[in-house]
């Protein structure tokens, strides 16, 4: 896997989506129930890989580590993200237009969890450098335990899954207004 250092949005998005597959977040329970579910999750993120049972166990362990990093203070988050990319190889090369680009590569034999760890590590380090630790947040919904990394330009995102958590909050407010009138 080859990952550009300046493309932190995809890694941060993967961190958010992976953490929010947990039964702690989802009232319906575990999203990654078997290797086929993990394969579908990866496909939704543009990663073509056929997961096996060992991959599932490792990715679920990675999910716990990523949640811990999102909840950690800035220094611990940086140290943990650095640890995720420790086995990747940094490379500086010129692209087709002659501009220099930093990227990291994973070894050909790296496990799926190690590859995802590098993707997430690069994303989290990019957010820490470019945006700040304040972008690691808990969902603002009072009934959600989700977390997210806000990579939006304005930095005003409030919900881990805006289409779900944000909608629930808006519906609850609407119903409360309807009861009052």
């Amino acid at each position: 896997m080859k990952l550009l250092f300046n493309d932190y949005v995809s890694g941060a998005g993967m961190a958010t989506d992976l953490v929010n597959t947990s039964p702690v977040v989802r009232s319906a329970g575990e999203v990654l129930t078997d290797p086929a579910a993990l394969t579908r999750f990866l496909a939704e993120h543009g990663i073509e890989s056929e997961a096996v049972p060992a991959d599932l166990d490792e990715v679920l362990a990675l999910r716990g580590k990523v949640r811990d990093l999102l909840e950690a203070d800035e220094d611990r988050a940086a140290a943990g993200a650095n640890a995720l990319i420790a086995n990747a190889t940094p490379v500086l090369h010129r692209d087709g237009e002659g501009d220099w680009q930093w990227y990291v590569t994973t070894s050909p034999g790296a496990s799926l969890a190690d590859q995802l760890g590098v993707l997430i590590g690069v994303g989290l380090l990019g957010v820490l450098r470019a945006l700040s630790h304040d972008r690691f947040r808990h969902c603002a919904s009072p009934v959600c335990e989700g977390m997210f990394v806000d990579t939006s330009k304005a930095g005003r995102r409030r919900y881990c899954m805006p289409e779900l958590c944000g909608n629930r909050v808006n519906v609850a407010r609407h119903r409360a207004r309807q009861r009052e009138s």
Side-chain angles (χ1 to χ4, degrees):
M1 183 180 281
K2 176 181 171 181
L3 304 161
L4 291 172
F5 269 121
N6 63 350
D7 181 21
Y8 58 83
V9 173
S10 60
M14 175 62 79
T16 295
D17 292 346
L18 181 61
V19 164
N20 292 326
T21 62
S22 170
V24 170
V25 178
R26 303 281 184 138
S27 59
E30 176 67 63
V31 173
L32 303 177
T33 56
D34 56 27
L38 176 57
T39 299
R40 286 189 301 277
F41 173 80
L42 296 171
E44 290 169 5
H45 291 84
I47 299 172
E48 298 303 320
S49 181
E50 192 68 33
V52 298
D55 291 331
L56 180 61
D57 293 339
E58 291 175 1
V59 169
L60 293 178
L62 173 65
R63 178 177 71 190
K65 290 178 189 175
V66 173
R67 171 95 189 196
D68 291 345
L69 292 179
L70 296 183
E71 291 181 323
D73 64 40
E74 187 172 17
D75 290 337
R76 283 185 36 236
N82 278 324
L84 289 176
I85 67 168
N87 294 324
T89 304
V91 178
L92 176 67
H93 102 177
R94 288 190 190 274
D95 64 13
E97 293 153 14
D99 296 325
W100 288 104
Q101 289 190 331
W102 274 109
Y103 64 88
V104 294
T105 59
T106 58
S107 65
S111 71
L112 177 60
D114 287 342
Q115 291 181 50
L116 290 178
V118 171
L119 172 64
I120 291 168
V122 167
L124 297 181
L125 290 172
V127 169
L128 286 171
R129 182 189 173 281
L131 300 174
S132 86
H133 181 262
D134 295 340
R135 297 295 185 101
F136 295 11
R137 301 184 182 146
H138 286 273
C139 186
S141 172
V143 296
C144 182
E145 295 297 320
M147 294 197 70
F148 63 96
V149 181
D150 183 359
T151 57
S152 68
K153 188 173 184 177
R156 294 185 187 144
R157 182 173 166 185
R158 299 181 57 217
Y159 304 106
C160 64
M161 294 175 275
E163 70 285 352
L164 183 64
C165 297
N167 190 45
R168 283 182 183 157
V169 170
N170 290 336
V171 167
R173 287 180 184 154
H174 173 74
R175 288 182 180 158
R177 284 191 304 272
Q178 293 301 315
R179 280 191 300 270
E180 289 173 5
S181 60

